[in-house]
């Protein structure tokens, strides 16, 4: 389970269970776009697929360098996604690899 760490969400490593904020790195694996992560504690590495089936009104998490945001997909345009905050508080474009479907 993830927890808040300031303006970010900290996720646990599957191997050592240490929770930390990890910014992913876009890459490819087996010909598919993925986001790679590395645990600083135990050097475990893992990937998650880049969401390729996002639709308007999907609930998502957006991992940005300055914060983790939660909202609703408002538009999908190529390799970027527009996400709207709860109650329309904000509207922001993010790269598709930064978006995690909830």
């Amino acid at each position: 389970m993830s927890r808040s760490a300031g303006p970010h969400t900290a996720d646990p490593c599957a191997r050592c269970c240490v929770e930390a904020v990890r910014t992913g790195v876009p890459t490819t694996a087996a010909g598919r776009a993925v986001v790679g992560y590395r645990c600083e504690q135990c050097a475990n590495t893992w990937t998650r697929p880049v969401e390729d089936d996002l639709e308007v009104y999907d609930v998502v998490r957006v991992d940005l360098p300055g914060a983790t945001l939660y909202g609703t997909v408002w538009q999908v345009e190529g390799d970027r996604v527009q996400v709207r905050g709860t109650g329309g508080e904000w509207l922001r474009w993010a790269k598709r690899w930064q978006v995690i479907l909830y």
Side-chain angles (χ1 to χ4, degrees), residues 71-82:
T72 304
V73 173
W74 214 241
Q75 276 187 77
V76 178
E77 201 176 87
D79 65 343
R80 62 188 199 144
V81 179
Q82 189 176 44

Side-chain angles (χ1 to χ4, degrees), residues 49-61:
V50 172
E51 305 291 350
D52 59 1
D53 61 346
L54 291 170
E55 296 182 12
V56 173
Y57 303 125
D58 281 345
V59 175
V60 296
R61 166 179 151 180

Side-chain angles (χ1 to χ4, degrees), residues 15-101:
R15 181 185 293 160
C16 69
C17 298
V18 169
E19 291 184 339
V21 174
R22 297 178 179 90
T23 54
V25 177
T27 187
T28 58
R32 181 166 182 181
V34 297
V35 180
Y37 297 92
R38 182 178 186 277
C39 177
E40 296 298 324
Q41 180 76 22
C42 70
N44 182 35
T45 59
W46 65 94
T47 61
R48 69 165 175 84
V50 172
E51 305 291 350
D52 59 1
D53 61 346
L54 291 170
E55 296 182 12
V56 173
Y57 303 125
D58 281 345
V59 175
V60 296
R61 166 179 151 180
V62 184
D63 287 335
L64 298 171
T68 301
L69 304 176
Y70 295 86
T72 304
V73 173
W74 214 241
Q75 276 187 77
V76 178
E77 201 176 87
D79 65 343
R80 62 188 199 144
V81 179
Q82 189 176 44
V83 180
R84 180 178 185 254
T86 306
E89 293 177 23
W90 48 265
L91 195 60
R92 183 168 210 163
W93 285 99
K95 296 174 184 162
R96 187 182 286 261
W97 67 267
Q98 296 171 311
V99 177
I100 301 171
L101 182 63

